[in-house]
Amino acid sequence: MDRPKKSGPLAKTKWQLQKAKAQFSEVFRRARSEGPQLVTRQEKEAVVILPAEEFERLLARSRQPQSLVQFFADSPLARVKLNLKRKPDFGRKIKL
């Protein structure tokens, strides 16, 4: 049995589409135990198979708050007291 190719900065395992279809159980097992598995078609990266937990983590990370107001309200800095008072600036005196 020849091993799937390793490639990329994360050393993900790369599978050709036909081989991935024929050995789907192995692709599934490796995705669970080793991490994301790349499936290619005609030498181009096409899809990545990854564990459902990792997919959920990526989804949660990409979700945006409903609004900018909600984003700031949920911020850990929302309860920080800031002193926003400042001295009035009347400009500088210049000779004409």
Side-chain angles (χ1 to χ4, degrees):
M1 171 180 173
D2 55 323
R3 311 272 307 165
K5 299 175 189 172
K6 297 252 182 186
S7 170
L10 300 175
K12 298 173 227 156
T13 305
K14 195 182 260 190
W15 299 78
Q16 292 177 350
L17 179 60
Q18 290 299 80
K19 189 167 189 164
K21 285 168 44 177
Q23 298 179 351
F24 184 74
S25 293
E26 180 67 10
V27 175
F28 179 90
R29 185 190 68 72
R30 287 190 186 191
R32 298 287 308 156
S33 64
E34 298 174 15
Q37 304 290 303
L38 276 68
V39 180
T40 64
R41 184 176 11 182
Q42 299 173 353
E43 299 297 317
K44 296 179 185 157
E45 292 182 3
V47 297
V48 177
I49 299 174
L50 63 150
E53 298 84 7
E54 190 169 342
F55 179 70
E56 288 298 324
R57 183 183 59 79
L58 291 171
L59 277 182
R61 200 168 134 198
S62 69
R63 288 188 185 114
Q64 296 293 320
Q66 290 135 349
S67 69
L68 188 58
V69 172
Q70 187 64 42
F71 172 78
F72 284 117
D74 293 343
S75 168
L77 300 175
R79 290 152 210 51
V80 173
K81 300 292 183 194
L82 296 176
N83 180 5
L84 299 176
K85 294 181 184 177
R86 58 184 226 184
K87 295 179 184 176
D89 184 6
F90 298 110
R92 56 190 169 147
K93 295 180 182 176
I94 58 170
K95 292 182 182 179
L96 296 177

